[in-house]
Amino acid sequence: MQLVEAKKQDIEREVPQCAAQMVGAKLFNERRGHPIDVIYGCVTTGDDWLFLRLGSDEFVIDTRTFYLGHLGQLLGAFQIVFDFYRKILA
């Protein structure tokens, strides 16, 4: 998973940086013979969290922003990512 800190509280501005890192991670793993079908990413201000997903032929930005003040929902989003990687890396 790629994680990017948003500067100046502008979460959308950092999405391209996170997307580039996700593509880089995907290529890095493929070139080393360990392809991963889906790469997750996240952009955060520390309080606001935006999740992204890079598949084999699609890039998805979650339409929901998660907030530190709603910790249960934020942890639920992370749990989805952890569960995905737990399955493919086991």
Side-chain angles (χ1 to χ4, degrees), residues 14-23 39-43 50-62:
E14 301 302 326
V15 168
Q17 177 184 343
C18 188
Q21 290 178 359
M22 293 165 69
V23 169
I39 301 286
Y40 283 94
C42 181
V43 179
L50 182 64
F51 289 87
L52 305 92
R53 186 180 73 237
L54 174 64
S56 57
D57 62 353
E58 68 178 354
F59 179 74
V60 178
I61 303 170
D62 196 329

Side-chain angles (χ1 to χ4, degrees), residues 5-26:
E5 176 188 4
K7 311 289 191 270
K8 299 180 183 177
Q9 304 300 314
D10 189 357
I11 204 165
E12 288 84 15
R13 181 177 168 179
E14 301 302 326
V15 168
Q17 177 184 343
C18 188
Q21 290 178 359
M22 293 165 69
V23 169
K26 188 167 185 59

Side-chain angles (χ1 to χ4, degrees), residues 2 10 35 37 51 61 63-65 71 75 85:
Q2 300 298 315
D10 189 357
D37 292 335
F51 289 87
I61 303 170
T63 58
R64 297 166 293 177
T65 300
L71 191 55
L75 292 176
Y85 285 120

Side-chain angles (χ1 to χ4, degrees), residues 3-6 9 11 43-49 66-69 74:
L3 184 64
V4 174
E5 176 188 4
Q9 304 300 314
I11 204 165
V43 179
T44 182
T45 64
D47 292 320
D48 303 346
W49 297 75
F66 293 86
Y67 302 98
L68 190 58
L74 177 58

